[in-house]
Amino acid sequence: MGSDTITLLSSREIEKMRQAGSLAAALLDHLEPMIKPGVSTLELDNEAERWTQAHGATSAPLGYHGFPKSICTSVNEVVCHGIPNGKQILKDGDIMNIDVTPILDGYHGDTSRTFFVGTPSARAKKLVEVTEECLMKGIAAVKPGGRIGDIGAAIQEYAEANGFSVVRDFVGHGINRVFHTAPQIPHYGKQGKGKRLRSGMVFTIEPMINEGTWEAQMLDDGWTAITKDGKLSAQFEHTLAVTGDGVEILTRSD
Ligand code: MF3
Ligand code: CO
Ligand code: CO
């Protein structure tokens, strides 16, 4: 199948995605109490890997195109794909996105949240709250017969109305037995544009929202993307299925 062919999943396959997705959400729930000043991002990675294996799953990021760790930890100005590191110690006032993708019985559950380390600044708190709202507005725009552009339009409108910007260089993606596949889901765009949404499509929505410029740049490690102006960036992600009459979040925490 060509890489722009969108796979429609059967209800049996969606049940597999639901199980992987619920494990991914439970992993974030498990890591959350560890997020405190003084902890290193490597300690979070080690615990994520241990917990994932203990639940009969594997970590999709580990070795993915050479990515060296099991989760992504993106602190403050890091937009996405931050690499856990024993020398990176969290401090009071940081914000950190943790992005996890366990593979359970062949299927991927991909979700991320931005957490506060200790007490956030008012500005950081607003950015993180608006970013989570952006994800929920993008999800609310999903229904069979709608268009992919409806999602980005809803996200961009809310982010920009709040004085923030939407990262262009990274997009949501189709996901199933394959980690990243068609369709691409931009987090900006125009309502009514793009491919039609159909029941059985499964993809992520994962807006990265910046305090300042939307522009990102890559560090020399080839993975870590940071904001060009060094200001904060936040992200939330869910894996979703388009249903007969709307949308189901597959990575909801119970
Ligand atoms: N989980 C990320 C996403 O949402 C991808 C991480 S790929 C890695 O698509 F190699 F950086 F881990
Ligand atoms: Co993703
Ligand atoms: Co992810």
Side-chain angles (χ1 to χ4, degrees):
M1 251 194 277
S3 61
D4 54 1
T5 304
I6 303 176
T7 306
L8 301 181
L9 272 62
S10 67
S11 56
R12 190 201 134 269
E13 293 170 300
I14 289 175
E15 174 55 22
K16 292 290 195 184
M17 290 297 293
R18 201 179 279 124
Q19 283 166 15
S22 115
L23 190 73
L27 173 54
L28 289 180
D29 291 345
H30 175 72
L31 296 174
E32 184 166 21
M34 286 179 71
I35 302 167
K36 290 193 173 118
V39 87
S40 76
T41 51
L42 185 64
E43 288 172 83
L44 292 162
D45 182 76
N46 286 337
E47 180 56 19
E49 179 59 30
R50 188 201 66 73
W51 190 96
T52 298
Q53 288 181 21
H55 287 78
T58 59
S59 302
L62 186 61
Y64 183 77
H65 295 284
F67 189 80
K69 297 292 177 196
S70 301
I71 61 173
C72 298
T73 49
S74 300
V75 178
N76 294 335
E77 75 282 5
V78 178
V79 171
C80 63
H81 304 163
I83 304 172
N85 182 329
K87 286 182 231 153
Q88 183 179 39
I89 309 296
L90 298 176
K91 56 181 200 312
D92 187 56
D94 284 345
I95 61 171
M96 173 183 49
N97 176 278
I98 301 184
D99 192 338
V100 301
T101 312
I103 305 173
L104 184 65
D105 204 11
Y107 291 83
H108 292 73
D110 188 3
T111 185
S112 84
R113 299 177 204 149
T114 299
F115 299 95
F116 301 121
V117 181
T119 311
S121 69
R123 186 92 189 131
K125 188 161 180 282
K126 168 96 188 292
L127 175 68
V128 171
E129 285 171 359
V130 167
T131 304
E132 186 167 19
E133 271 301 300
C134 281
L135 171 58
M136 297 322 287
K137 286 183 186 291
I139 293 171
V142 175
K143 58 173 184 306
R147 299 273 180 179
I148 284 178
D150 301 350
I151 299 167
I155 292 169
Q156 184 176 15
E157 183 182 31
Y158 192 72
E160 293 179 356
N162 280 280
F164 299 131
S165 67
V166 178
V167 171
R168 310 286 206 261
D169 313 39
F170 301 93
V171 295
H173 50 93
I175 184 167
N176 41 65
R177 288 180 165 277
V178 182
F179 195 175
H180 295 100
T181 185
Q184 293 197 357
I185 310 289
H187 304 110
Y188 57 93
K190 298 239 180 302
Q191 200 177 338
K193 300 278 181 194
K195 292 217 172 82
R196 208 175 273 289
L197 298 168
R198 297 191 188 285
S199 177
M201 283 186 186
V202 175
F203 53 81
T204 72
I205 303 178
E206 49 182 295
M208 286 139 277
I209 305 297
N210 293 353
E211 194 185 359
T213 180
W214 59 267
E215 288 178 287
Q217 72 187 67
M218 179 84 79
L219 294 187
D220 289 339
D221 62 19
W223 283 106
T224 310
I226 64 169
T227 57
K228 232 175 196 169
D229 57 12
K231 293 186 179 178
L232 297 175
S233 184
Q235 181 178 23
F236 283 81
E237 174 175 25
H238 273 308
T239 299
L240 317 143
V242 183
T243 63
D245 62 353
V247 61
E248 177 183 349
I249 299 176
L250 300 173
T251 45
R252 204 189 272 288
S253 132
D254 7 69

